[in-house]
mmCIF file of all heavy atoms in Angstrom:
data_model
loop_
_atom_site.group_PDB
_atom_site.id
_atom_site.type_symbol
_atom_site.label_atom_id
_atom_site.label_comp_id
_atom_site.label_asym_id
_atom_site.label_seq_id
_atom_site.Cartn_x
_atom_site.Cartn_y
_atom_site.Cartn_z
ATOM 1 N N GLN A 41 12.171 203.233 39.107
ATOM 2 C CA GLN A 41 11.844 202.149 38.186
ATOM 3 C C GLN A 41 12.875 202.064 37.069
ATOM 4 O O GLN A 41 13.808 202.861 37.003
ATOM 5 C CB GLN A 41 10.437 202.361 37.617
ATOM 6 C CG GLN A 41 9.363 202.345 38.687
ATOM 7 C CD GLN A 41 7.966 202.413 38.105
ATOM 8 O OE1 GLN A 41 7.741 202.024 36.964
ATOM 9 N NE2 GLN A 41 7.024 202.908 38.882
ATOM 10 N N LYS A 42 12.700 201.088 36.210
ATOM 11 C CA LYS A 42 13.698 200.906 35.164
ATOM 12 C C LYS A 42 13.445 201.845 33.989
ATOM 13 O O LYS A 42 12.391 202.445 33.854
ATOM 14 C CB LYS A 42 13.706 199.464 34.684
ATOM 15 C CG LYS A 42 12.445 199.001 34.020
ATOM 16 C CD LYS A 42 12.604 197.545 33.584
ATOM 17 C CE LYS A 42 11.338 197.011 32.960
ATOM 18 N NZ LYS A 42 11.491 195.592 32.545
ATOM 19 N N VAL A 43 14.455 201.963 33.177
ATOM 20 C CA VAL A 43 14.366 202.771 31.970
ATOM 21 C C VAL A 43 13.484 202.033 30.950
ATOM 22 O O VAL A 43 13.682 200.845 30.691
ATOM 23 C CB VAL A 43 15.773 203.009 31.393
ATOM 24 C CG1 VAL A 43 15.694 203.809 30.111
ATOM 25 C CG2 VAL A 43 16.666 203.715 32.410
ATOM 26 N N GLU A 44 12.529 202.764 30.389
ATOM 27 C CA GLU A 44 11.572 202.155 29.455
ATOM 28 C C GLU A 44 11.628 202.848 28.101
ATOM 29 O O GLU A 44 11.659 204.083 28.025
ATOM 30 C CB GLU A 44 10.142 202.292 29.986
ATOM 31 C CG GLU A 44 9.896 201.691 31.343
ATOM 32 C CD GLU A 44 8.500 202.056 31.844
ATOM 33 O OE1 GLU A 44 8.270 203.233 32.182
ATOM 34 O OE2 GLU A 44 7.648 201.147 31.882
ATOM 35 N N PHE A 45 11.578 202.067 27.066
ATOM 36 C CA PHE A 45 11.562 202.594 25.702
ATOM 37 C C PHE A 45 10.221 203.266 25.402
ATOM 38 O O PHE A 45 9.164 202.734 25.735
ATOM 39 C CB PHE A 45 11.803 201.435 24.736
ATOM 40 C CG PHE A 45 11.495 201.739 23.302
ATOM 41 C CD1 PHE A 45 12.325 202.563 22.564
ATOM 42 C CD2 PHE A 45 10.380 201.195 22.688
ATOM 43 C CE1 PHE A 45 12.046 202.839 21.237
ATOM 44 C CE2 PHE A 45 10.091 201.463 21.362
ATOM 45 C CZ PHE A 45 10.917 202.287 20.639
ATOM 46 N N LEU A 46 10.292 204.420 24.771
ATOM 47 C CA LEU A 46 9.074 205.102 24.322
ATOM 48 C C LEU A 46 8.916 205.003 22.804
ATOM 49 O O LEU A 46 7.895 204.530 22.302
ATOM 50 C CB LEU A 46 9.119 206.579 24.711
ATOM 51 C CG LEU A 46 8.998 206.925 26.183
ATOM 52 C CD1 LEU A 46 9.118 208.433 26.374
ATOM 53 C CD2 LEU A 46 7.680 206.425 26.732
ATOM 54 N N VAL A 47 9.936 205.479 22.075
ATOM 55 C CA VAL A 47 9.779 205.613 20.632
ATOM 56 C C VAL A 47 11.145 205.659 19.959
ATOM 57 O O VAL A 47 12.124 206.111 20.554
ATOM 58 C CB VAL A 47 8.971 206.895 20.322
ATOM 59 C CG1 VAL A 47 9.750 208.140 20.745
ATOM 60 C CG2 VAL A 47 8.549 206.986 18.870
ATOM 61 N N SER A 48 11.193 205.159 18.737
ATOM 62 C CA SER A 48 12.386 205.315 17.908
ATOM 63 C C SER A 48 11.993 206.043 16.624
ATOM 64 O O SER A 48 10.840 205.973 16.181
ATOM 65 C CB SER A 48 13.027 203.967 17.590
ATOM 66 O OG SER A 48 12.126 203.125 16.926
ATOM 67 N N PHE A 49 12.951 206.712 16.038
ATOM 68 C CA PHE A 49 12.677 207.634 14.925
ATOM 69 C C PHE A 49 13.807 207.522 13.931
ATOM 70 O O PHE A 49 14.982 207.574 14.294
ATOM 71 C CB PHE A 49 12.607 209.054 15.504
ATOM 72 C CG PHE A 49 12.078 210.107 14.585
ATOM 73 C CD1 PHE A 49 10.715 210.357 14.518
ATOM 74 C CD2 PHE A 49 12.934 210.897 13.823
ATOM 75 C CE1 PHE A 49 10.215 211.353 13.698
ATOM 76 C CE2 PHE A 49 12.440 211.897 13.001
ATOM 77 C CZ PHE A 49 11.079 212.128 12.950
ATOM 78 N N TYR A 50 13.438 207.339 12.678
ATOM 79 C CA TYR A 50 14.447 207.207 11.628
ATOM 80 C C TYR A 50 13.879 207.743 10.335
ATOM 81 O O TYR A 50 12.697 207.515 10.031
ATOM 82 C CB TYR A 50 14.853 205.735 11.466
ATOM 83 C CG TYR A 50 15.716 205.469 10.264
ATOM 84 C CD1 TYR A 50 17.045 205.879 10.240
ATOM 85 C CD2 TYR A 50 15.202 204.816 9.135
ATOM 86 C CE1 TYR A 50 17.842 205.640 9.126
ATOM 87 C CE2 TYR A 50 15.983 204.580 8.025
ATOM 88 C CZ TYR A 50 17.311 204.996 8.025
ATOM 89 O OH TYR A 50 18.103 204.765 6.926
ATOM 90 N N ASN A 51 14.674 208.441 9.578
ATOM 91 C CA ASN A 51 14.275 208.927 8.267
ATOM 92 C C ASN A 51 12.996 209.765 8.361
ATOM 93 O O ASN A 51 12.083 209.622 7.545
ATOM 94 C CB ASN A 51 14.067 207.735 7.321
ATOM 95 C CG ASN A 51 14.125 208.128 5.863
ATOM 96 O OD1 ASN A 51 14.754 209.125 5.501
ATOM 97 N ND2 ASN A 51 13.461 207.355 5.022
ATOM 98 N N ASN A 52 12.969 210.592 9.390
ATOM 99 C CA ASN A 52 11.878 211.548 9.596
ATOM 100 C C ASN A 52 10.529 210.916 9.882
ATOM 101 O O ASN A 52 9.480 211.538 9.635
ATOM 102 C CB ASN A 52 11.744 212.500 8.405
ATOM 103 C CG ASN A 52 12.841 213.548 8.420
ATOM 104 O OD1 ASN A 52 13.183 214.078 9.475
ATOM 105 N ND2 ASN A 52 13.390 213.830 7.269
ATOM 106 N N GLU A 53 10.543 209.717 10.398
ATOM 107 C CA GLU A 53 9.274 209.137 10.837
ATOM 108 C C GLU A 53 9.501 208.163 11.988
ATOM 109 O O GLU A 53 10.619 207.678 12.189
ATOM 110 C CB GLU A 53 8.562 208.448 9.673
ATOM 111 C CG GLU A 53 9.326 207.313 9.038
ATOM 112 C CD GLU A 53 8.580 206.730 7.852
ATOM 113 O OE1 GLU A 53 7.750 207.429 7.240
ATOM 114 O OE2 GLU A 53 8.810 205.547 7.535
ATOM 115 N N ILE A 54 8.428 207.915 12.688
ATOM 116 C CA ILE A 54 8.498 206.973 13.793
ATOM 117 C C ILE A 54 8.723 205.571 13.248
ATOM 118 O O ILE A 54 8.022 205.120 12.348
ATOM 119 C CB ILE A 54 7.206 207.024 14.638
ATOM 120 C CG1 ILE A 54 7.128 208.344 15.403
ATOM 121 C CG2 ILE A 54 7.154 205.848 15.595
ATOM 122 C CD1 ILE A 54 5.822 208.547 16.150
ATOM 123 N N SER A 55 9.729 204.890 13.799
ATOM 124 C CA SER A 55 10.003 203.514 13.401
ATOM 125 C C SER A 55 9.226 202.536 14.264
ATOM 126 O O SER A 55 8.627 201.590 13.767
ATOM 127 C CB SER A 55 11.490 203.218 13.552
ATOM 128 O OG SER A 55 12.269 204.201 12.931
ATOM 129 N N GLU A 56 9.311 202.751 15.559
ATOM 130 C CA GLU A 56 8.597 201.898 16.488
ATOM 131 C C GLU A 56 8.183 202.719 17.695
ATOM 132 O O GLU A 56 8.807 203.730 18.002
ATOM 133 C CB GLU A 56 9.493 200.749 16.959
ATOM 134 C CG GLU A 56 9.814 199.745 15.894
ATOM 135 C CD GLU A 56 10.736 198.687 16.394
ATOM 136 O OE1 GLU A 56 10.372 198.009 17.364
ATOM 137 O OE2 GLU A 56 11.827 198.543 15.817
ATOM 138 N N LYS A 57 7.158 202.272 18.356
ATOM 139 C CA LYS A 57 6.747 202.918 19.588
ATOM 140 C C LYS A 57 6.219 201.868 20.552
ATOM 141 O O LYS A 57 5.707 200.828 20.136
ATOM 142 C CB LYS A 57 5.691 203.985 19.327
ATOM 143 C CG LYS A 57 4.464 203.487 18.603
ATOM 144 C CD LYS A 57 3.537 204.655 18.277
ATOM 145 C CE LYS A 57 2.290 204.158 17.559
ATOM 146 N NZ LYS A 57 1.352 205.263 17.239
ATOM 147 N N SER A 58 6.371 202.162 21.824
ATOM 148 C CA SER A 58 5.877 201.241 22.834
ATOM 149 C C SER A 58 4.419 201.557 23.146
ATOM 150 O O SER A 58 3.871 202.574 22.694
ATOM 151 C CB SER A 58 6.721 201.355 24.102
ATOM 152 O OG SER A 58 6.458 202.590 24.756
ATOM 153 N N GLU A 59 3.821 200.713 23.958
ATOM 154 C CA GLU A 59 2.422 200.943 24.335
ATOM 155 C C GLU A 59 2.279 202.169 25.225
ATOM 156 O O GLU A 59 1.202 202.717 25.360
ATOM 157 C CB GLU A 59 1.858 199.708 25.019
ATOM 158 C CG GLU A 59 2.628 199.287 26.265
ATOM 159 C CD GLU A 59 2.160 197.943 26.788
ATOM 160 O OE1 GLU A 59 1.604 197.153 26.019
ATOM 161 O OE2 GLU A 59 2.359 197.696 27.996
ATOM 162 N N ILE A 60 3.393 202.613 25.792
ATOM 163 C CA ILE A 60 3.350 203.841 26.595
ATOM 164 C C ILE A 60 3.102 205.043 25.698
ATOM 165 O O ILE A 60 2.435 206.007 26.063
ATOM 166 C CB ILE A 60 4.678 204.042 27.340
ATOM 167 C CG1 ILE A 60 4.988 202.853 28.245
ATOM 168 C CG2 ILE A 60 4.672 205.338 28.139
ATOM 169 C CD1 ILE A 60 6.397 202.873 28.798
ATOM 170 N N PHE A 61 3.644 204.985 24.516
ATOM 171 C CA PHE A 61 3.631 206.113 23.584
ATOM 172 C C PHE A 61 2.272 206.181 22.908
ATOM 173 O O PHE A 61 2.088 205.714 21.774
ATOM 174 C CB PHE A 61 4.754 205.945 22.566
ATOM 175 C CG PHE A 61 5.056 207.192 21.760
ATOM 176 C CD1 PHE A 61 5.977 208.112 22.217
ATOM 177 C CD2 PHE A 61 4.430 207.431 20.539
ATOM 178 C CE1 PHE A 61 6.268 209.248 21.483
ATOM 179 C CE2 PHE A 61 4.710 208.564 19.796
ATOM 180 C CZ PHE A 61 5.631 209.479 20.268
ATOM 181 N N ASP A 62 1.306 206.782 23.606
ATOM 182 C CA ASP A 62 -0.036 206.870 23.043
ATOM 183 C C ASP A 62 -0.241 208.231 22.372
ATOM 184 O O ASP A 62 0.732 208.966 22.132
ATOM 185 C CB ASP A 62 -1.082 206.608 24.142
ATOM 186 C CG ASP A 62 -0.963 207.599 25.294
ATOM 187 O OD1 ASP A 62 -0.401 208.700 25.104
ATOM 188 O OD2 ASP A 62 -1.449 207.264 26.391
ATOM 189 N N ASP A 63 -1.461 208.576 22.100
ATOM 190 C CA ASP A 63 -1.768 209.801 21.348
ATOM 191 C C ASP A 63 -1.379 211.075 22.093
ATOM 192 O O ASP A 63 -1.377 212.156 21.508
ATOM 193 C CB ASP A 63 -3.257 209.854 21.020
ATOM 194 C CG ASP A 63 -3.647 208.785 20.025
ATOM 195 O OD1 ASP A 63 -2.728 208.244 19.365
ATOM 196 O OD2 ASP A 63 -4.848 208.486 19.908
ATOM 197 N N GLN A 64 -1.084 210.938 23.348
ATOM 198 C CA GLN A 64 -0.653 212.089 24.140
ATOM 199 C C GLN A 64 0.755 212.549 23.745
ATOM 200 O O GLN A 64 1.138 213.692 23.952
ATOM 201 C CB GLN A 64 -0.669 211.666 25.620
ATOM 202 C CG GLN A 64 -0.324 212.722 26.607
ATOM 203 C CD GLN A 64 -0.061 212.149 27.988
ATOM 204 O OE1 GLN A 64 0.017 210.936 28.175
ATOM 205 N NE2 GLN A 64 0.098 213.021 28.957
ATOM 206 N N PHE A 65 1.511 211.623 23.161
ATOM 207 C CA PHE A 65 2.909 211.888 22.838
ATOM 208 C C PHE A 65 3.086 212.100 21.336
ATOM 209 O O PHE A 65 2.384 211.502 20.522
ATOM 210 C CB PHE A 65 3.788 210.705 23.255
ATOM 211 C CG PHE A 65 3.852 210.448 24.732
ATOM 212 C CD1 PHE A 65 2.918 209.632 25.344
ATOM 213 C CD2 PHE A 65 4.856 211.008 25.502
ATOM 214 C CE1 PHE A 65 2.976 209.383 26.711
ATOM 215 C CE2 PHE A 65 4.934 210.762 26.868
ATOM 216 C CZ PHE A 65 3.976 209.944 27.471
ATOM 217 N N SER A 66 4.070 212.925 21.004
ATOM 218 C CA SER A 66 4.480 213.037 19.610
ATOM 219 C C SER A 66 5.959 213.407 19.569
ATOM 220 O O SER A 66 6.499 213.956 20.527
ATOM 221 C CB SER A 66 3.647 214.070 18.855
ATOM 222 O OG SER A 66 3.816 215.360 19.414
ATOM 223 N N VAL A 67 6.593 213.068 18.466
ATOM 224 C CA VAL A 67 7.991 213.418 18.273
ATOM 225 C C VAL A 67 8.140 214.110 16.935
ATOM 226 O O VAL A 67 7.350 213.919 16.011
ATOM 227 C CB VAL A 67 8.935 212.196 18.334
ATOM 228 C CG1 VAL A 67 9.029 211.645 19.737
ATOM 229 C CG2 VAL A 67 8.499 211.117 17.354
ATOM 230 N N GLU A 68 9.199 214.893 16.864
ATOM 231 C CA GLU A 68 9.435 215.662 15.659
ATOM 232 C C GLU A 68 10.915 215.962 15.542
ATOM 233 O O GLU A 68 11.617 216.090 16.535
ATOM 234 C CB GLU A 68 8.637 216.990 15.755
ATOM 235 C CG GLU A 68 8.536 217.762 14.489
ATOM 236 C CD GLU A 68 7.693 219.010 14.658
ATOM 237 O OE1 GLU A 68 7.744 219.642 15.733
ATOM 238 O OE2 GLU A 68 7.001 219.381 13.693
ATOM 239 N N ARG A 69 11.345 216.050 14.294
ATOM 240 C CA ARG A 69 12.699 216.533 14.022
ATOM 241 C C ARG A 69 12.520 217.787 13.173
ATOM 242 O O ARG A 69 12.510 217.709 11.942
ATOM 243 C CB ARG A 69 13.501 215.473 13.301
ATOM 244 C CG ARG A 69 14.975 215.788 13.159
ATOM 245 C CD ARG A 69 15.764 214.507 13.004
ATOM 246 N NE ARG A 69 17.106 214.720 12.491
ATOM 247 C CZ ARG A 69 18.135 215.108 13.224
ATOM 248 N NH1 ARG A 69 17.983 215.359 14.491
ATOM 249 N NH2 ARG A 69 19.330 215.257 12.686
ATOM 250 N N PRO A 70 12.334 218.910 13.837
ATOM 251 C CA PRO A 70 11.927 220.128 13.128
ATOM 252 C C PRO A 70 12.993 220.710 12.206
ATOM 253 O O PRO A 70 12.670 221.440 11.281
ATOM 254 C CB PRO A 70 11.595 221.103 14.269
ATOM 255 C CG PRO A 70 12.390 220.613 15.437
ATOM 256 C CD PRO A 70 12.461 219.124 15.288
ATOM 257 N N ASP A 71 14.240 220.357 12.471
ATOM 258 C CA ASP A 71 15.317 220.839 11.612
ATOM 259 C C ASP A 71 16.393 219.772 11.591
ATOM 260 O O ASP A 71 16.177 218.663 12.057
ATOM 261 C CB ASP A 71 15.849 222.190 12.114
ATOM 262 C CG ASP A 71 16.235 222.126 13.582
ATOM 263 O OD1 ASP A 71 16.872 221.146 13.991
ATOM 264 O OD2 ASP A 71 15.879 223.057 14.317
ATOM 265 N N GLY A 72 17.555 220.091 11.089
ATOM 266 C CA GLY A 72 18.583 219.077 10.940
ATOM 267 C C GLY A 72 19.292 218.687 12.213
ATOM 268 O O GLY A 72 20.091 217.751 12.203
ATOM 269 N N SER A 73 18.969 219.364 13.324
ATOM 270 C CA SER A 73 19.736 219.055 14.525
ATOM 271 C C SER A 73 18.882 218.698 15.731
ATOM 272 O O SER A 73 19.310 217.921 16.567
ATOM 273 C CB SER A 73 20.648 220.236 14.882
ATOM 274 O OG SER A 73 19.891 221.406 15.096
ATOM 275 N N ASN A 74 17.679 219.232 15.821
ATOM 276 C CA ASN A 74 16.873 218.998 17.026
ATOM 277 C C ASN A 74 15.933 217.806 16.870
ATOM 278 O O ASN A 74 15.494 217.479 15.773
ATOM 279 C CB ASN A 74 16.043 220.246 17.344
ATOM 280 C CG ASN A 74 16.905 221.382 17.833
ATOM 281 O OD1 ASN A 74 17.354 221.386 18.963
ATOM 282 N ND2 ASN A 74 17.163 222.336 16.942
ATOM 283 N N PHE A 75 15.641 217.199 18.008
ATOM 284 C CA PHE A 75 14.688 216.082 18.074
ATOM 285 C C PHE A 75 13.854 216.326 19.323
ATOM 286 O O PHE A 75 14.399 216.424 20.425
ATOM 287 C CB PHE A 75 15.471 214.775 18.160
ATOM 288 C CG PHE A 75 14.638 213.527 18.242
ATOM 289 C CD1 PHE A 75 13.590 213.296 17.357
ATOM 290 C CD2 PHE A 75 14.917 212.559 19.187
ATOM 291 C CE1 PHE A 75 12.835 212.145 17.421
ATOM 292 C CE2 PHE A 75 14.171 211.400 19.256
ATOM 293 C CZ PHE A 75 13.130 211.188 18.383
#
Side-chain angles (χ1 to χ4, degrees):
Chain A
Q41 298 186 25
K42 64 180 178 180
V43 178
E44 302 172 289
F45 166 73
L46 290 178
V47 65
S48 59
F49 191 88
Y50 171 73
N51 200 25
N52 284 319
E53 60 183 24
I54 290 174
S55 310
E56 291 177 59
K57 56 185 181 179
S58 71
E59 58 189 23
I60 302 169
F61 194 89
D62 59 22
D63 292 343
Q64 183 193 9
F65 295 88
S66 62
V67 290
E68 192 178 36
R69 189 155 164 81
D71 53 44
S73 59
N74 290 284
F75 180 49

